[in-house]
Amino acid sequence: MARGELMKKLLASYGRDEEFRAVAEQIISEEEKKNNVVLARSLRKTLENPSKPTRPKALAPLIPFPEAAGDFIERIEPVHSRQDIVLSRDNVRVFAGLLSEFRSGEQIRRRGLAVRSKLLFCGPPGCGKTLCAEIFAAEVGLPLYIVKLDRLISSYLGETATNIRKLFEFARKQPCVLFFDEFDALARARDDAGEHNELRRVVNSLLIFIDRIKPAGFLIAATNLDRSLDPAVWRRFEEVVWFDRPDDKMIREYLGLKFKNVILGFDPSEHIASLAGFSFAEIERVCVQAIKAAIVKRQKDVRADDFEQALADERRRRRDHSRLENRS
């Protein structure tokens, strides 16, 4: 196996001792086969007699998965890095501040101040909220847990508040990033005439839990429907981050990101105006479809007609989606 692949497996197995050791043994065997005897001997000695089992400060040990919360959360391994996202200047500043604050947490708490740990992400679909939560978890070195809302919201409405309590108890004990996507499904405005009384009680419980919790890591909630949130939700979060559709500068940067490993036979920047109002997810679909079209035609490069056809398909998709929304 290629050395790079082995190193990726080694890092991915961090925190799982048996798997980590097995990959480390593979790396040592590879070095022995290459006759790198001194290095192999040194690696084996370190593996057998670790000097001091320490973890980087940013990486949190995992507690056993509690049965109480295990049904409602799923651990996700981050696969993206900060190079895979385009943020507005304001959001870059916000996240840089959050990271600095987290890394200086001990000094801040010593002075009797709290580190910001409850974040609300707002904005239209496809503009980077979920991706940002993943990358943020990787940057702070904490495991990412996604809340499974379909299981959390019990068909027996009286159980939903109990389920939420279990979830918040887990977040209080486990240093992690706990991510609620489509948060509006839980935190809808209580004055909505269409809401059931029991659901209003769920919102009441949710607000109390958010208010009282001091998570061991971060609580992040994301919504596409910020106007549907109960007004009392907003003050429970220490930071609200807005993810808007990209402007021309961000579109230019994102096109460069999507086509960075591709030979181009045209200048994508000439199409920036055509992408105004598109989300990152929509732009990504256009780019990926253009690349696939070039592959199917066995071209060495992606050409303007590939991109323009993909753009036309995305516009058709948007029109069809608008029709469906209007019917509903």
Side-chain angles (χ1 to χ4, degrees), residues 1-283:
M1 186 179 290
R3 186 185 182 89
E5 288 300 314
L6 282 173
M7 293 305 295
K8 281 168 64 178
K9 282 182 67 178
L10 186 71
L11 291 172
S13 64
Y14 182 84
R16 301 190 291 275
D17 291 346
E18 289 185 11
E19 190 177 334
F20 184 89
R21 185 181 181 86
V23 179
E25 289 281 5
Q26 279 186 270
I27 291 173
I28 293 169
S29 297
E30 290 288 329
E31 295 303 327
E32 287 173 342
K33 288 176 186 175
K34 296 174 186 174
N35 208 28
N36 295 331
V37 180
V38 176
L39 175 59
R41 189 181 300 136
S42 174
L43 290 173
R44 192 171 295 284
K45 185 178 178 182
T46 303
L47 184 63
E48 298 298 336
N49 303 292
S51 55
K52 206 174 183 182
T54 59
R55 292 175 185 265
K57 281 188 180 179
L59 287 171
L62 298 180
I63 64 173
F65 220 48
E67 290 183 13
D71 290 339
F72 316 124
I73 48 180
E74 177 184 4
R75 187 176 177 194
I76 302 296
E77 292 289 346
V79 295
H80 296 95
S81 70
R82 64 170 71 182
Q83 283 75 39
D84 298 319
I85 194 169
V86 175
L87 295 171
S88 68
R89 185 179 299 175
D90 283 344
N91 284 355
V92 169
R93 180 182 53 77
V94 168
F95 285 109
L98 288 167
L99 289 170
S100 297
E101 198 169 305
F102 174 76
R103 289 162 183 163
S104 301
E106 289 181 20
Q107 298 93 307
I108 291 171
R109 282 186 282 267
R110 267 193 228 117
R111 292 177 175 268
L113 301 171
V115 174
R116 286 173 292 174
S117 59
K118 291 177 271 192
L119 317 175
L120 179 61
F121 291 179
C122 300
C127 288
K129 298 185 295 296
T130 304
L131 176 61
C132 190
E134 176 191 330
I135 293 170
F136 184 75
E139 287 292 314
V140 295
L142 293 174
L144 173 65
Y145 289 96
I146 304 288
V147 176
K148 295 186 280 190
L149 284 179
D150 58 331
R151 295 194 181 182
L152 185 69
I153 302 175
S154 174
S155 56
Y156 301 100
L157 290 174
E159 294 182 1
T160 300
T162 303
N163 295 343
I164 294 171
R165 184 190 299 277
K166 294 173 184 176
L167 196 62
F168 276 73
E169 183 63 19
F170 171 76
R172 186 180 65 79
K173 293 178 180 178
Q174 170 67 67
C176 68
V177 172
L178 183 65
F179 182 60
F180 287 81
D181 201 2
E182 299 182 0
F183 188 59
D184 46 275
L186 267 182
R188 282 193 175 276
R190 287 166 291 180
D191 60 3
D192 186 336
E195 292 300 346
H196 191 281
N197 284 338
E198 185 59 40
L199 287 175
R200 290 177 190 148
R201 284 194 282 274
V202 167
V203 175
N204 289 339
S205 299
L206 179 66
L207 293 174
I208 292 169
F209 292 142
I210 296 174
D211 214 17
R212 292 179 180 174
I213 191 174
K214 293 181 180 176
F218 290 87
L219 170 68
I220 300 178
T223 179
N224 304 330
L225 304 171
D226 52 274
R227 293 182 181 179
S228 298
L229 294 180
D230 191 278
V233 165
W234 298 89
R235 67 178 179 81
R236 261 73 180 186
F237 289 90
E238 296 145 335
E239 191 64 67
V240 178
V241 186
W242 293 90
F243 292 79
D244 296 316
R245 295 185 188 276
D247 59 21
D248 286 359
K249 180 177 178 297
M250 295 168 72
I251 292 173
R252 182 187 300 275
E253 189 177 345
Y254 196 67
L255 288 172
L257 188 64
K258 292 291 108 180
F259 287 128
K260 66 180 178 181
N261 296 319
V262 177
I263 299 172
L264 294 175
F266 74 110
D267 183 1
S269 65
E270 294 178 357
H271 296 268
I272 289 174
S274 302
L275 295 168
F278 279 55
S279 69
F280 284 121
E282 290 168 330
I283 297 170

